[in-house]
Amino acid sequence: MTVVAVVGAQWGDEGKGKIVEAIAPKAALVVSYAGGYSPGSTLVVEGERFVLHVVPAGALRSGRACLLAQGMALDPRLVLDELAILEQHGALAAPLEIDQRAQVVLPHHVLLDALRDESEGASGSPRRGVGPAYMDAVARRGVRMGDLLTGDGLAQRIEASIEASAHALRELGGEVPDPKAVHDEYVAAGEKLRARIVDGSRRITDLTAEGGTVVLEGPFGTMVDVTHGYYPFVVGSSTVAGGACVGTGISPRSVDKVIGVAKAYITRPGLGPLPSEVTGDLATHLQDRGGELSPTSARPRRCGMFDVPVLRYAARVNGFDEVALTKLDVLTGLDEIPVCVGYELDGDVRDEPPFEGQSRMQPLTEMLAGWRESLADCRTYAELPANARAYVEFIERNAGVHITRIGVGPDRAQTITR
Ligand code: GDP
């Protein structure tokens, strides 16, 4: 029995999809344990690009079943749309199931998300209602996927949820949806999903008891975890490895391995602290070569030099057994590469992201030598240029992690296993 958690070490978009793919051949089940809408998990299969917002990339591997677990907040309309696209491409080769305890995103959650984000100055949130659905969950008026099937108290719960948001919706100039229409639409969506709605916690336990391997894929990254990230610039769920147990309903003792995924530089969607942020030519290089565009605004993502304290912190909080370093190829062509090795905050040196004073901290930088050779065709560690290996080993040494996989391009084959 093996349960492997794959967790973002930074702010998300680290390339987890490809790493899950790299380990998925051994997996009977790929599970998403939190979140409900990613800006787009891109997977390139033999030159063809797929962008998935809800369904985990592992679904594209034939024979790998997927589970959207109970820690998620899902819009069933979106799930149905994505399933239809996958079926059309013949890419849904394995079953996709949804936990009965997953929260349901209702239309007014989506509306509220968009209106709030607009009025608060466009944070870069995808505005898909996931945050408001989590708010209703902790306020104990959330609707769960299984409720769409049983119907027990469903109409009242939908009404209460809409009622609780009605004032804010009107204030922000939005229309309040009709509870009856929402009820009917969601019952119909639930009916279409009926065969897929299961007890996910039980499913994982049974599968592992039979000897199957399960991959638990985290959303976003450690630095936007609702508790462990740079609060309040965080998402509504627990993205860290501990969240994998809460979000799936399995024991912490059943997670055998935790793999962290870190990009060879930093990107951060939206607002909030980014101590290693870079501007000018280096930012342009990373944005252009790394394809770092925000899918919601099509604006370049904020970029930063590699942040060692963030990886050191993520490794400690998540307990990484191994780290996959992705997008190393993006650094090709730089004469020298700055790396953030610590922060100075009010005269002290910090080796992990501090709880306080985030707007005052200054990065401490070391310069490493760059390389000009393309990494695209490197398939072994030894084939990497000496300075690229030195970069990997510098990160490894300074963050105290073991880097076992290195991404040298977007294609499935472009991952070096060390
Ligand atoms: P996730 O949000 O962490 O799951 O990130 P994705 O799996 O969506 O990956 C983000 C983007 O990085 C996608 O366009 C991937 O194709 C791309 N990508 C992943 N690994 C690499 C890599 O090693 N090199 C390059 N150049 N692109 C990569």
Side-chain angles (χ1 to χ4, degrees):
M1 153 189 128
T2 313
V3 178
V4 183
V6 178
V7 178
Q10 299 154 331
W11 278 266
D13 308 310
E14 294 97 346
K16 292 179 291 296
K18 209 184 74 168
I19 298 306
V20 168
E21 272 304 280
I23 55 174
K26 293 185 197 142
L29 182 69
V30 177
V31 185
S32 295
Y33 61 78
Y37 188 89
S38 77
S41 204
T42 316
L43 187 70
V44 180
V45 186
E46 279 136 25
E48 197 174 352
R49 289 178 89 80
F50 296 87
V51 181
L52 306 173
H53 298 285
V54 182
V55 177
L60 295 178
R61 285 293 293 200
S62 60
R64 247 52 70 187
C66 285
L67 172 69
L68 306 179
Q70 61 194 50
M72 298 189 81
L74 298 165
D75 187 333
R77 303 168 301 176
L78 208 61
V79 176
L80 285 168
D81 288 351
E82 226 161 76
L83 284 172
I85 292 168
L86 284 168
E87 272 161 5
Q88 194 186 329
H89 282 87
L92 190 72
L96 179 120
E97 294 180 323
I98 302 167
D99 195 291
Q100 60 195 4
R101 292 182 175 84
Q103 292 287 327
V104 172
V105 173
L106 295 165
H108 66 283
H109 293 141
V110 182
L111 201 56
L112 199 58
D113 210 6
L115 291 169
R116 279 209 180 119
D117 195 49
E118 192 66 49
S119 78
E120 287 166 11
S123 67
S125 139
R127 304 179 174 183
R128 290 301 179 137
V130 174
Y134 279 129
M135 285 163 68
D136 270 357
V138 288
R140 294 185 283 263
R141 55 175 172 256
V143 170
R144 304 197 289 176
M145 292 300 297
D147 298 330
L148 303 180
L149 306 184
T150 67
D152 293 348
L154 179 63
Q156 295 88 324
R157 207 95 60 77
I158 289 176
E159 204 171 339
S161 173
I162 293 177
E163 183 51 40
S165 296
H167 178 70
L169 281 173
R170 286 196 199 96
E171 287 260 290
L172 292 165
E175 267 187 39
V176 180
D178 169 34
K180 168 85 173 74
V182 173
H183 174 269
D184 294 350
E185 185 187 11
Y186 274 62
V187 167
E191 207 43 57
K192 288 190 190 141
L193 292 169
R194 180 176 283 277
R196 300 181 185 277
I197 298 175
V198 299
D199 181 341
S201 157
R202 199 61 195 261
R203 180 72 92 231
I204 298 172
T205 313
D206 291 349
L207 244 172
T208 51
E210 286 163 17
T213 296
V214 175
V215 179
L216 312 177
E217 182 179 357
F220 311 107
T222 299
M223 295 308 292
V224 293
D225 179 280
V226 64
T227 310
H228 305 287
Y230 273 139
Y231 193 86
F233 301 96
V234 294
V235 298
S237 56
S238 183
T239 60
V240 296
C245 296
V246 178
T248 53
I250 61 166
S251 154
R253 284 191 288 192
S254 57
V255 178
D256 300 288
K257 190 187 266 192
V258 182
I259 300 181
V261 186
K263 215 184 267 193
Y265 51 96
I266 295 282
T267 56
R268 194 217 194 295
L271 309 171
L274 186 55
S276 72
E277 187 155 13
V278 294
T279 52
D281 289 349
L282 180 54
T284 308
H285 176 106
L286 299 174
Q287 286 156 350
D288 290 353
R289 299 282 188 92
E292 302 296 354
L293 281 180
S294 154
T296 40
S297 64
R299 281 200 305 261
R301 284 193 184 117
R302 296 164 69 196
C303 287
M305 56 187 138
F306 192 89
D307 190 320
V308 170
V310 160
L311 181 56
R312 186 183 292 124
Y313 173 67
R316 187 173 64 76
V317 169
N318 294 291
F320 292 153
D321 296 291
E322 302 174 14
V323 167
L325 188 71
T326 60
K327 294 190 136 181
L328 188 64
D329 53 298
V330 173
L331 301 179
T332 293
L334 295 169
D335 290 329
E336 47 181 12
I337 309 169
V339 175
C340 169
V341 292
Y343 316 119
E344 194 183 301
L345 177 62
D346 304 335
D348 287 339
V349 172
R350 302 294 186 98
D351 65 359
E352 283 192 1
F355 174 81
E356 82 294 9
Q358 290 149 7
S359 61
R360 299 193 304 280
M361 59 190 179
Q362 295 297 322
L364 301 170
T365 306
E366 275 195 41
M367 280 293 180
L368 302 195
W371 59 89
R372 301 226 150 247
E373 303 90 324
S374 165
L375 310 187
D377 296 324
C378 296
R379 292 294 173 272
T380 64
Y381 189 63
E383 285 170 332
L384 288 175
N387 285 349
R389 278 181 305 188
Y391 186 81
V392 172
E393 287 158 30
F394 180 88
I395 290 172
E396 207 168 34
R397 211 167 43 246
N398 283 274
V401 297
H402 186 34
I403 296 173
T404 54
R405 288 185 175 79
I406 297 156
V408 292
D411 206 85
R412 200 186 274 166
Q414 291 174 303
T415 306
I416 293 173
T417 302
R418 217 173 144 206

